């Protein structure tokens, strides 16, 4: 493919192609779109990527992405800090926030336990969650990992760590198909899953 394209264009297409969910045709379309930008627009685009890369890090409390010490949810005085909803990825926080049904706080694992992929409990943010719960003030932890084998394994593993701390651990009631990701669930389904959660 690169043989009839300028090397810099081929490299740009290749970089877009590395993004999740972007196939060869979409990568090519995005690359040509970038080429049609003015120089100022292209600089703003590249600067936005570098700014995000340099400034975004994990919230000190919940491990969600932020450009401050604490994310806006952890900083909010209107959130119920006694309930923690544990999710796999930052995008899952966005899905829950769209429901406008949840007033607690979150904890982002940044993955799930997956021995086949070489991911153990130490590779995701489990220790931070246990430390947070052990500090007190938490009455319920909602396990909102995806309804996959890895998500279930992770939920059970975490519930076993938290039970001795005297906290109630619940699991979302899934009206969500097994194997589906939370980010694709609609707001009503997510809200019902929250309401019908079961204790682990």
């Amino acid at each position: 493919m690169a043989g009839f394209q300028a090397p810099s264009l081929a490299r740009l297409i290749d970089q877009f192609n590395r993004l999740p969910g972007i196939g060869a045709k979409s990568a090519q379309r995005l690359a040509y779109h970038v080429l049609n930008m003015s120089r100022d627009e292209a600089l703003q685009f590249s600067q936005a990527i570098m700014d995000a890369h340099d400034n975004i890090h994990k919230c000190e409390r919940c491990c969600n992405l932020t450009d401050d010490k604490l994310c806006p949810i952890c900083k909010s005085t209107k959130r119920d800090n006694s309930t923690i909803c544990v999710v796999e990825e930052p995008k899952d926080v966005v899905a829950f926030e769209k429901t406008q049904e949840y007033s607690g706080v979150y904890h982002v694992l940044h993955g799930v336990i997956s021995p086949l992929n070489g991911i153990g409990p130490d590779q995701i943010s489990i220790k931070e969650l246990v430390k947070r719960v052990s500090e007190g003030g938490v009455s319920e932890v909602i396990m909102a990992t995806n309804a996959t084998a890895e998500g279930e394994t992770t939920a059970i593993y975490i519930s076993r760590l938290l039970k001795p701390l005297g906290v109630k651990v619940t699991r979302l009631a899934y009206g969500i198909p097994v194997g589906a990701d939370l980010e694709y669930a609609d707001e009503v389904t997510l809200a019902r899953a929250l309401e019908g959660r079961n204790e682990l």
Side-chain angles (χ1 to χ4, degrees), residues 153-175:
T153 300
T154 305
I156 291 165
Y157 179 86
I158 291 173
S159 72
R160 286 179 181 156
L161 291 178
L162 297 181
K163 279 290 175 75
L165 301 175
V167 66
K168 180 181 178 185
V169 182
T170 57
R171 181 82 169 115
L172 283 187
Y174 276 91

Side-chain angles (χ1 to χ4, degrees), residues 44-118:
Q44 285 174 20
F45 183 66
S46 61
Q47 192 59 53
I49 292 172
M50 291 314 300
D51 286 349
H53 199 273
D54 292 344
N55 298 323
I56 301 293
H57 54 265
K58 290 180 184 177
C59 169
E60 288 182 2
R61 188 176 298 158
C62 75
C63 298
N64 195 6
L65 298 179
T66 183
D67 56 4
D68 208 343
K69 274 189 171 186
L70 296 176
C71 72
I73 293 171
C74 284
K75 279 196 283 195
S76 174
T77 55
K78 295 177 180 176
R79 306 299 291 225
D80 175 11
N81 284 282
S82 70
T83 305
I84 299 175
C85 182
V86 179
V87 296
E88 292 181 18
E89 302 291 348
K91 60 191 175 188
D92 298 328
V93 172
V94 175
F96 271 105
E97 286 300 288
K98 282 181 182 174
T99 71
Q100 298 184 340
E101 292 285 331
Y102 180 67
S103 59
V105 292
Y106 297 92
H107 189 85
V108 183
L109 295 173
H110 293 275
V112 284
I113 297 168
S114 179
L116 288 174
N117 295 314

Side-chain angles (χ1 to χ4, degrees), residues 12-13 15-16 19 22 26-27 29-53:
L12 182 58
I13 292 170
Q15 290 302 315
F16 278 119
L19 296 173
I22 302 294
S26 295
R29 198 162 44 246
L30 289 167
Y32 281 111
H33 177 76
V34 168
L35 286 180
N36 284 325
M37 290 177 173
S38 68
R39 182 172 175 79
D40 281 349
E41 288 171 330
L43 283 170
Q44 285 174 20
F45 183 66
S46 61
Q47 192 59 53
I49 292 172
M50 291 314 300
D51 286 349
H53 199 273

Side-chain angles (χ1 to χ4, degrees), residues 25 52 60 134:
K25 284 185 179 178
E60 288 182 2
S134 66

